[in-house]
Amino acid sequence: MANLTMDADKILAAGEELKSIANEYSVLLNEMYERINKMTQDGTWESDKDSGSANRFIDAAVKDRDNELSLSNSMNSLGDKLIYYAKSVNSITDSQL
């Protein structure tokens, strides 16, 4: 018979760390898109017209935001699942299987 070893506390810590990373990533993304959206107002990048390069860049960049935030949500969800799994194992086996 095979010998199976699992440290549920490490799985729990990994889930918590993944959730923390997902949160930091989300905060950074929101800050970045805030800056991108304000580029023409704060003088970072100015164009002569509404169809100028600055506005075209902003329009193109903003289209990626939802996909990037989706990654953050997926990482957070995986962290939740790891935490749930680790707590389930801990409740059954006292942290080591």
Side-chain angles (χ1 to χ4, degrees):
M1 183 185 272
N3 184 14
L4 176 64
T5 303
M6 179 188 306
D7 188 341
D9 291 335
K10 287 183 181 179
I11 295 172
L12 179 72
E16 291 170 346
E17 185 175 358
L18 186 57
K19 286 179 64 67
S20 176
I21 291 169
N23 184 53
E24 289 175 30
Y25 176 69
S26 180
V27 167
L28 287 172
L29 277 176
N30 287 326
E31 289 174 356
M32 180 184 74
Y33 280 106
E34 240 181 82
R35 288 182 179 181
I36 288 172
N37 282 325
K38 293 180 181 177
M39 289 174 80
T40 57
Q41 289 99 14
D42 67 12
T44 301
W45 189 354
E46 296 179 10
S47 295
D48 294 340
K49 306 176 197 174
D50 286 342
S51 62
S53 59
N55 288 323
R56 286 195 328 257
F57 170 79
I58 292 168
D59 291 341
V62 169
K63 290 178 184 177
D64 292 331
R65 184 172 192 244
D66 289 341
N67 287 334
E68 293 169 358
L69 286 174
S70 177
L71 174 60
S72 173
N73 293 336
S74 294
M75 290 180 356
N76 193 51
S77 177
L78 178 58
D80 285 337
K81 289 174 183 169
L82 288 171
I83 291 168
Y84 175 80
Y85 178 73
K87 286 181 178 180
S88 296
V89 169
N90 273 339
S91 70
I92 295 169
T93 65
D94 193 37
S95 93
Q96 295 224 345
L97 178 65

